[in-house]
Amino acid sequence: MTEILSNIKIIKLSAWEDPFRDKVGLVRRTELAAHKAISVIRSLLVMVFSSVNLLMILATFTVYSNWGGPGFTPGQMTSEVIFVAITLFTMVGRPLGLISLTTSHVIMLRNANKRIQKYLLLEEMDTTTVQRHDRQDPSEGPNVRMPPAIEIVGGTFAWEKTTNATDVNRSASAEAALSPEQAERQPLLTASSSASPRPVAVLSDINLKVPDGSLTAVVGRIGQGKSSLLNAIIGDIYKLKGTVTVYGTIAYVPQQAWIINATLRDNIVLGKPFDQQRFDDILFAAGQLVPVCPQSSLSDWVQFLATILDQSG
């Protein structure tokens, strides 16, 4: 829902209301069914473990009154036996009542561990995709050849990783070993049959050289690979061939707004040592050097910079 509301303008302009309504409805119905099943199970557990104390007392007194005496003869139900037994069962009843709550917490802990495990087992970024070098100092001499800030030579990139050809051959052999009746029941298009050892390249034979200190703009229509090119420069996409070389450091600003849960000043400094002159230059470039309104005082401006922002802005 957050992504849909954030991009509602695109959905409206493209007239995608009905498809997205159906998708959200399907997800919501599945979610409501899961919540209903969990609520029913939780209610049953609460009912069972809340009444287990009374059921144990009733079953114990029934067995004792019929076969609790010597030689399985009826036992004597005296007030001393009854009150002592009720006191003992009451002491045991509270731990038994917590079993339902413990079971619910164990299920939630299991689901949380699965999510954490899935996140921790994700593929790590390949640090060898981009070759990084220190930027040369221009003061070394006028004859020193300054390398470009970014250079790509013969780069081919893809969003999907190369499929292992051995796995494809193994799945093909397994399908060939099926009987004609079993092979007829198999779907025509499966993940194994459609898998290819060669992924689809989104950028092919890219040669790019960005000089140091220059302003370069990549212009193109939607879906032509502008964002893919930026991800190739920072190493966030699979490199099939070619070289990507970066001299110095790079600051990547994505299209989505990114704000840390800190003050406005901390969001501008981002952990670096505070430099008043550079800070003023940044505010001037952003058009925020003057107070928000003419009636604002210096103390209001200081409080404005000390305002704590959350991740939603």
Side-chain angles (χ1 to χ4, degrees), residues 66-300:
N66 291 312
W67 304 284
F72 296 101
T73 58
Q76 297 182 358
M77 297 294 293
T78 62
S79 59
E80 180 180 358
V81 173
I82 294 174
F83 286 114
V84 171
I86 292 176
T87 302
L88 293 176
F89 281 117
T90 303
M91 295 173 60
V92 178
R94 181 173 177 80
L96 291 177
L98 295 176
I99 294 180
S100 60
L101 183 62
T102 304
T103 305
S104 177
H105 286 175
V106 168
I107 294 175
M108 290 189 294
L109 178 62
R110 183 170 175 268
N111 293 332
N113 285 335
K114 285 184 177 180
R115 294 181 180 179
I116 295 175
Q117 182 182 11
K118 183 179 179 181
Y119 171 74
L120 294 178
L121 293 179
L122 289 176
E123 184 181 3
E124 298 290 341
M125 181 181 293
D126 188 4
T127 57
T128 61
T129 302
V130 179
Q131 301 177 8
R132 304 182 184 275
H133 303 281
D134 296 333
R135 184 173 301 173
Q136 295 184 1
D137 190 0
S139 61
E140 294 181 358
N143 297 327
V144 177
R145 178 179 175 273
M146 294 298 297
I150 301 171
E151 185 177 10
I152 301 177
V153 179
T156 301
F157 307 93
W159 282 109
E160 296 180 357
K161 192 175 182 180
T162 305
T163 307
N164 193 353
T166 305
D167 297 336
V168 177
N169 296 332
R170 186 183 298 112
S171 60
S173 301
E175 293 178 359
L178 297 176
S179 62
E181 293 79 6
Q182 294 175 343
E184 187 177 357
R185 295 189 182 96
Q186 296 296 320
L188 296 178
L189 293 178
T190 60
S192 60
S193 61
S194 60
S196 174
R198 299 185 61 183
V200 178
V202 293
L203 296 174
S204 301
D205 297 330
I206 300 298
N207 294 281
L208 174 67
K209 183 178 293 186
V210 180
D212 189 10
S214 64
L215 177 62
T216 304
V218 181
V219 183
R221 291 180 295 180
I222 298 176
Q224 288 190 334
K226 301 184 298 295
S227 300
S228 300
L229 179 61
L230 295 179
N231 283 275
I233 294 174
I234 64 177
D236 200 16
I237 190 173
Y238 293 110
K239 183 183 68 174
L240 303 182
K241 66 177 182 178
T243 59
V244 180
T245 309
V246 174
Y247 295 91
T249 58
I250 290 181
Y252 174 64
V253 182
Q255 297 177 354
Q256 295 81 10
W258 185 76
I259 300 175
I260 61 176
N261 189 10
T263 62
L264 179 61
R265 172 177 166 175
D266 293 336
N267 276 273
I268 298 175
V269 177
L270 288 177
K272 292 185 178 181
F274 181 75
D275 187 352
Q276 185 65 48
Q277 182 61 39
R278 187 177 182 184
F279 188 78
D280 293 340
D281 294 340
I282 294 173
L283 293 179
F284 180 79
Q288 295 292 334
L289 185 60
V290 296
V292 180
C293 60
Q295 292 79 15
S296 300
S297 61
L298 182 60
S299 60
D300 296 334

